[in-house]
Amino acid sequence: MQTKSFSLEFFPPKTPEAAEKLRATRVKLAVLKPAYISVTFGAGGSTQAGTLETVTEIQQSGISAAPHMSCVGSNRAEIKALLDTYIARDIRRIVALRGDIPSGMGVGSAGEFRYANELVQFIREATGRHFHIEVAAYPEVHPQAESHSADLQNFKKKVEAGADSALTQYFYNADAYFRFVDNCAKVGVTVPIVPGIMPITNYKQLARFSDGCGAEIPRWLRKQLEDFGDDVEGLRAFGLDVTTELCRTLLEGGAPGLHFYTMNQVEPTMQIWRDLGIGAN
Ligand code: FAD
């Protein structure tokens, strides 16, 4: 049986204090023995330097690090230089993305790459099989997709270009994931598709993120989260319970692992991971 992959995601810290805090988070979460820790790029205004510094520290601590790399607005020479830097630092895994196009800029004017499949193809041409390439997948359909079927075909293009596996946008509807995996298989896409898990701890923040990225908070869940109002602890306990149940359903249904959006926090991921009994991964 294929071993399941349990991984974590960080975002680069913006201040020296946040960097210190993230170091402590990494040390605490290291006991879970994650398969790797990925680090976002460009999201929320973070810089390329922040991603590079953070992955370098993770890698030096003995945990495999995977930088996210978005191609929007970049040219081939810049991407090649960054790939060379990662190779020099012994990085073996990359999360290859298009990134979000700044408002007012069309796809055509967004640099030498228009879509993530072009980045994947370029990474393979420039570096052969050096990197394990992860790409993004959207069980609830990418918010800008022309249609459900177009999005599926576009996902397939990334795999045909050389992606080894995928990480999903977060979702709270396990059926959307299972249906997506089935639909992928029907069009011949069988790479591992690992669900991205966003632990529920803060309703307002979650609602804001979800509006931006097209992830649906089902009505039954939204209504119950709204009821907690200022009861932060109650919401957190309920939210983590719901997230843990989702993870259990996904794993029992055959998901090839889980990728946790930690938001640079220790406790939510630690609690879910331990409750699932994957602490000794
Ligand atoms: P693509 O796969 O290129 O898809 C984008 C849209 O274009 C889709 O609607 C698709 O259907 C369509 N499309 C794709 N290929 C084609 C084609 N060849 N022709 C026509 N249409 C096409 N953002 C960041 O800025 N930094 C991060 O670190 C980051 N990390 C992420 C990690 C994960 C796991 C996920 C799921 C998302 C992440 N994002 C990040 C967000 C991501 O950048 C956005 O969702 C972005 O809008 C799409 O990126 P993509 O790589 O999925 O793009």
Side-chain angles (χ1 to χ4, degrees):
M1 202 183 71
Q2 194 193 2
T3 9
K4 295 196 188 250
S5 166
F6 296 100
S7 51
L8 308 175
E9 184 169 309
F10 289 171
F11 58 84
K14 291 207 191 88
T15 62
E17 295 74 39
E20 204 44 57
K21 199 165 160 261
L22 185 58
R23 256 170 232 130
T25 297
R26 193 230 313 132
V27 168
K28 287 185 187 146
L29 288 176
V31 301
L32 301 177
K33 298 197 173 61
Y36 64 92
I37 301 178
S38 81
V39 180
T40 62
F41 169 77
S46 66
T47 61
Q48 183 172 309
T51 304
L52 177 60
E53 266 170 43
T54 310
V55 289
T56 304
E57 273 197 31
I58 294 169
Q59 191 78 16
Q60 284 171 349
S61 78
I63 302 173
S64 295
H68 294 208
M69 185 182 243
S70 68
C71 59
V72 69
S74 295
N75 61 44
R76 286 178 172 70
E78 287 162 351
I79 296 284
K80 178 67 169 67
L82 191 52
L83 291 170
D84 288 343
T85 306
Y86 287 140
I87 290 173
R89 298 195 187 186
D90 206 22
I91 302 287
R92 308 291 308 199
R93 185 185 294 258
I94 279 183
V95 183
L97 304 147
R98 182 193 70 178
D100 283 319
I101 299 171
S103 55
M105 195 193 267
V107 171
S109 57
E112 288 183 14
F113 299 91
R114 290 168 310 158
Y115 298 107
N117 65 298
E118 295 167 7
L119 176 63
V120 174
Q121 186 181 340
F122 180 72
I123 297 173
R124 284 285 175 247
E125 281 165 10
T127 63
R129 295 291 317 169
H130 178 85
F131 293 105
H132 178 110
I133 303 179
E134 303 276 355
V135 287
Y138 302 85
E140 294 179 328
V141 184
H142 185 265
Q144 288 146 15
E146 201 182 300
S147 66
H148 172 268
S149 54
D151 208 31
L152 187 62
Q153 288 304 324
N154 290 331
F155 176 60
K156 184 177 178 182
K157 283 183 197 152
K158 297 195 273 196
V159 175
E160 286 172 346
D164 298 289
S165 45
L167 302 172
T168 76
Q169 184 57 272
Y170 68 85
F171 56 87
Y172 297 103
N173 179 351
D175 286 339
Y177 169 80
F178 291 125
R179 182 68 66 176
F180 178 71
V181 172
D182 282 353
N183 288 338
C184 286
K186 281 184 197 147
V187 296
V189 174
T190 55
V191 295
I193 299 171
V194 174
I197 302 297
M198 179 71 87
I200 303 173
T201 57
N202 178 328
Y203 175 58
K204 285 205 179 104
Q205 191 187 48
L206 183 71
R208 201 177 59 243
F209 284 163
S210 304
D211 282 347
C213 69
E216 189 190 39
I217 309 176
R219 183 181 156 82
W220 66 267
L221 179 54
R222 195 159 37 86
K223 287 288 177 197
Q224 289 194 60
L225 290 170
E226 279 168 4
D227 267 1
F228 283 98
D230 293 333
D231 178 5
V232 178
E233 283 311 310
L235 183 141
R236 201 180 149 92
F238 170 74
L240 291 184
D241 199 35
V242 169
T243 319
T244 307
E245 248 345 277
L246 171 70
C247 293
R248 204 167 272 132
T249 305
L250 291 168
L251 291 173
E252 286 171 6
L258 300 169
H259 181 71
F260 287 89
Y261 296 114
T262 68
M263 305 303 290
N264 293 2
Q265 304 288 312
V266 175
E267 287 312 323
T269 300
M270 182 77 95
Q271 187 180 321
I272 296 169
W273 194 293
R274 293 220 157 123
D275 285 352
L276 291 170
I278 49 175
N281 167 42

